Amino acid sequence: MTALMVQGTGSDVGKSLIVAGLCRAFKNRGLTVRPFKPQNMSNNAAVTIEDGEIGRAQWLQAAASGVPPSVHMNPVLLKPESETGAQVIVQGNRVATLKARAYFKERAKYLPAILESFEKMRNEADLVLVEGAGSPAEVNLRRNDLANMGFARAVNMPVLLVGDIHRGGVIASLVGTKAVLEADDAAMIRAFLINNFHGDPSLFEDGLSIISERTGWFSAGIVPHFPDAAKLPAEDALALDRSLRHRKGDKAGFRIAVPRLSRLANFDDLDPLRLEEGVDVVFVRAGEPLPGDADLVLIPGSKSTISDLKDFRKAGWDVDLAAHVRRGGHVLGLCGGFQMLGRKIHDPDGIEGPAESVVGLGYLDVETVLTQSKALRTVNGRHLASDTALSGYEMHLGSTEGPDCARPFARIEDRDEGAVSPDRHIAGTYLHGIFSGDAFRKAFLKSHGVAAADLGYTHLMDETLDRLAEHLEHNVALDRLLDLARREV
C-alpha cells in the first residue's frame, strides 16, 4: 500500500490545502494520485461524476490530482442541519438525518463503506493521500472513530500531523497531541509539518528540534504562508468568517451584498465573482444592515431554508431588502435563497424540523414544497436573459412551482429552470457553480453594466494549484513523505 494520512492538531489548520498541494505536487511528478477523506462534516459540497455528494475540499483535491471527483473520495459526509443534527451522506447518497448522539452511537456501521471506497481508490492510484477531520487529540471521541486514528489503525496507515504556527502554541499542540493519545494511536504518527509560517522559518529551527525530541517524529518541513490560498475554494465557513474580520467592502465597483446565513451552504458559488476586479462581494453578518449602496442582493444557499428565513427576518434583512427593491435594486436567490424569495415554503413531512408552512419573502410568485427526494445532478444549459451557455450542478430538496416559473432563469436540456419576476429585477435558480463559467459570468455582469475582465477562473484555479505544489516542493521533504507512504507501519 502506498498511502499517507494527513491529520491536524485542530480544525482549520490547513489539512485540506496541504493535501490538495500534495496531490498536485505528486501528480506533477508523474504519479497517479487519489484524494480520500473517510468522514467529513461540511455544508459546502459538490456533485460528483456519479451524481452524488462529497465535501468541496475533496472536489478541489480531485482537481489537483487531475481526475474527476468521485463519491468514493469522501464516503461519509455529514451535513449539519441544526446545532445538534445532520444529514448523513454515504457514498454520495443521503441515508439518514441523525442527532449527534445517535450518529456517534451507530457510526461504526459506516466503516465497511469507508473501507470499500478506500480500496477502490487504492486500486486506481499509485498514491492515496488521506485527509483526517478535526484532530485526533479529541480523545473523548475516539471510540468507533472513523475520521482519524480509527481509520489509520483500520488500514495500518502512517500519519503526518500538521500544526498551524500562526495560531500560536504550535509546539504544545503537536507535543500535546502525542501526550493525550493512546500509545498505539501515537505510534501511527511518523512525521509532523509546520504550516502557515510568517517571517523567517530559520527562526523556528530550535522549535523543530524540541518537537522531534519530545515526540520522536521527523520534521517534514515548515510551510510559509501561502496567500494565494484565498483564490481556491474553501470548504469550511470558518475560513469565510475569518476573512470577514479583515475585509469589508474594500473594493470600488459593482457591489453585491450577501447575507451571511447561519446555515450557509455552497458559499464558494461566490468565489469567481469575488475575484473579479470590478466587483465587490460583501458578506453581511447578522446585526449588520444590508448595505444601502448594493447593486445586487444575492441570497445564497442554505442547509436549512426555513430556519435561515426566520433568522433573515430576525436580523432585519427583510426590511433592508424591501428598501433595496424599492430603490430598483436587483435580487438573485441561489437554491435555498430562491426558495426564500417565493410566497410560501411548505415542509409537510418535517424534513427541516417541525412540519409547517411559512410565508416567504414574496418577491417571486412561486411556492416550494420540501420533499424527501433530493435532486443531485450536473447540468448544462443556457441562461435565457443573456442567451449564454452555462453549466453547474443541482443539490436540493423539494420543488418550486408558480406563475413566475413561466419566465425561467435558464433552459436545461429539455426543461425550464428557475423563475424571474415580471420586471426582471428578481430572479431565482437552483443552479450552483454557474459563476465559475467565464462566458456566463461575463454576460451576467454585462447585463448589470459591468465590463468583466478575462479572469479565466478555471485556469486561475489550476495555476494556483501548480504554485501551491511548487511551494510545497521547496519547503516540504516530499521524498521522505513518499518513502513513508510506501512503508507499512
Side-chain angles (χ1 to χ4, degrees), residues 13 107 139:
V13 298
R107 61 180 173 172
V139 292

Side-chain angles (χ1 to χ4, degrees), residues 446-476:
K446 183 179 179 181
S447 70
H448 290 280
V450 182
D454 292 323
L455 177 63
Y457 179 71
T458 301
H459 181 65
L460 173 65
M461 189 174 68
D462 204 53
E463 282 188 332
T464 303
L465 287 168
D466 277 333
R467 285 196 296 273
L468 175 59
E470 185 178 2
H471 189 64
L472 297 187
E473 284 279 7
H474 288 151
N475 296 287
V476 179

Side-chain angles (χ1 to χ4, degrees), residues 231-457:
K231 297 177 181 178
L232 297 172
E235 181 182 62
D236 201 316
L238 285 172
L240 175 62
D241 292 338
R242 187 170 59 247
S243 70
L244 289 178
R245 293 197 294 267
H246 302 293
R247 181 181 177 276
K248 187 175 176 61
D250 58 357
K251 289 166 62 178
F254 184 72
R255 179 158 291 185
I256 302 175
V258 183
R260 200 298 192 197
L261 304 175
S262 299
R263 298 156 190 86
L264 177 67
N266 296 79
F267 58 86
D268 59 298
D269 281 338
L270 286 302
D271 283 355
L273 291 170
R274 182 175 54 83
L275 294 173
E276 287 280 359
E277 285 296 326
V279 177
D280 184 24
V281 177
V282 182
F283 281 88
V284 183
R285 292 174 290 193
E288 301 173 345
L290 299 177
D293 60 351
D295 300 289
L296 170 71
V297 173
L298 193 153
I299 306 177
S302 166
K303 195 66 207 69
S304 186
T305 303
I306 290 176
S307 293
D308 269 343
L309 175 59
K310 292 176 180 178
D311 287 348
F312 191 96
R313 288 193 165 102
K314 190 181 299 183
W317 288 332
D318 57 331
V319 177
D320 300 336
L321 186 62
H324 171 79
V325 171
R326 284 197 301 272
R327 290 191 294 266
H330 289 76
V331 182
L332 175 63
L334 298 180
C335 201
F338 172 28
Q339 295 174 339
M340 292 183 203
L341 287 172
R343 287 187 284 109
K344 286 187 177 180
I345 303 172
H346 307 281
D347 186 6
D349 298 326
I351 294 170
E352 291 191 352
E356 61 180 330
S357 293
V358 298
V359 175
L361 296 171
Y363 293 103
L364 289 174
D365 192 4
V366 298
E367 294 192 14
T368 296
V369 179
L370 301 180
T371 59
Q372 295 286 352
S373 60
K374 192 170 195 176
L376 283 170
R377 61 180 74 92
T378 55
V379 298
N380 293 287
R382 298 197 73 78
H383 178 234
L384 296 179
S386 64
D387 192 29
T388 306
L390 55 69
S391 61
Y393 61 94
E394 290 183 71
M395 182 185 293
H396 63 89
L397 294 169
S399 61
T400 299
E401 296 179 357
D404 281 352
C405 291
R407 288 176 296 277
F409 178 84
R411 181 74 177 170
I412 304 299
E413 298 169 352
D414 59 348
R415 62 187 174 91
D416 292 331
E417 194 286 325
V420 179
S421 65
D423 65 2
R424 307 284 174 176
H425 280 215
I426 318 291
T429 176
Y430 275 118
L431 303 182
H432 292 287
I434 53 179
F435 291 112
S436 295
D438 296 328
F440 168 71
R441 188 178 63 256
K442 182 176 285 190
F444 178 84
L445 292 173
K446 183 179 179 181
S447 70
H448 290 280
V450 182
D454 292 323
L455 177 63
Y457 179 71

Side-chain angles (χ1 to χ4, degrees), residues 62-78:
S65 304
V67 296
S70 167
V71 295
H72 297 292
M73 294 172 179
N74 177 202
V76 175
L77 173 63
L78 306 177

Side-chain angles (χ1 to χ4, degrees), residues 203-227:
L203 296 175
F204 196 67
E205 289 179 357
D206 288 345
L208 298 181
S209 298
I210 292 169
I211 296 168
S212 292
E213 290 169 3
R214 299 290 183 92
T215 63
W217 307 330
F218 76 80
S219 168
I222 298 174
V223 181
H225 175 63
F226 183 68

